[in-house]
Amino acid sequence: AQPPVYFVVLDVSYYANASGLVPAVVSTIRETLDQLILANPHTRFGIITYDRTLHFYNLKSHLSQPQMVVVSDLEESFLPFPECTTCICESRDIIDLLLERLPSMFAHNIVGETCLG
């Protein structure tokens, strides 16, 4: 059987930050990861953030820190990594590092519009 996959798509535009959405979602994800692992140790996780561009994250366990790739051409968008999800158990440190950094990474984002309209 295939392991469960949780994929988060998070708005990090100015208005999402101003409303407190980004820290609230990040906090909820952090609180939930242990429960997901307990339910199935092979559970996979991925995240994309967006404003007027898409931000993909490489969270593979062999990395020392998360890698972010920005895709600005939405007409010809692509997946920059062969796999955009990773096993939570194997990559927990990298996932935690990204979640710790996400609110500050976009805290001063002045982009108000989003690629979703």
Side-chain angles (χ1 to χ4, degrees):
Q2 295 287 328
V5 176
Y6 292 88
F7 203 88
V8 176
V9 180
L10 178 60
D11 180 351
V12 293
S13 67
Y14 170 80
Y15 297 107
N17 279 294
S19 71
L21 175 75
V22 176
V25 170
V26 166
S27 175
T28 302
I29 293 168
R30 292 180 88 176
E31 293 170 6
T32 307
L33 287 177
D34 287 333
Q35 296 167 12
L36 297 178
I37 294 170
L38 286 174
N40 185 326
H42 303 290
T43 299
R44 299 185 68 79
F45 175 82
I47 187 167
I48 294 176
T49 56
Y50 68 93
D51 46 26
R52 75 175 136 222
T53 60
L54 298 172
H55 319 119
F56 293 87
Y57 299 90
N58 185 350
L59 301 171
K60 299 300 182 201
S61 60
H62 67 276
L63 298 171
S64 61
Q65 64 182 1
Q67 294 176 338
M68 179 174 78
V69 173
V70 177
V71 176
S72 57
D73 184 354
L74 303 178
E75 297 296 320
E76 300 282 336
S77 61
F78 61 95
L79 293 176
F81 309 114
E83 283 190 56
C84 287
T85 65
T86 189
C87 179
I88 296 172
C89 283
E90 294 172 8
S91 297
R92 182 61 187 266
D93 291 342
I94 299 294
I95 294 168
D96 284 340
L97 186 57
L98 175 64
L99 294 175
E100 179 183 312
R101 291 178 177 175
L102 264 180
S104 61
M105 285 170 57
F106 295 100
H108 303 290
N109 191 352
I110 60 171
V111 177
E113 69 270 11
T114 70
C115 59
L116 299 180

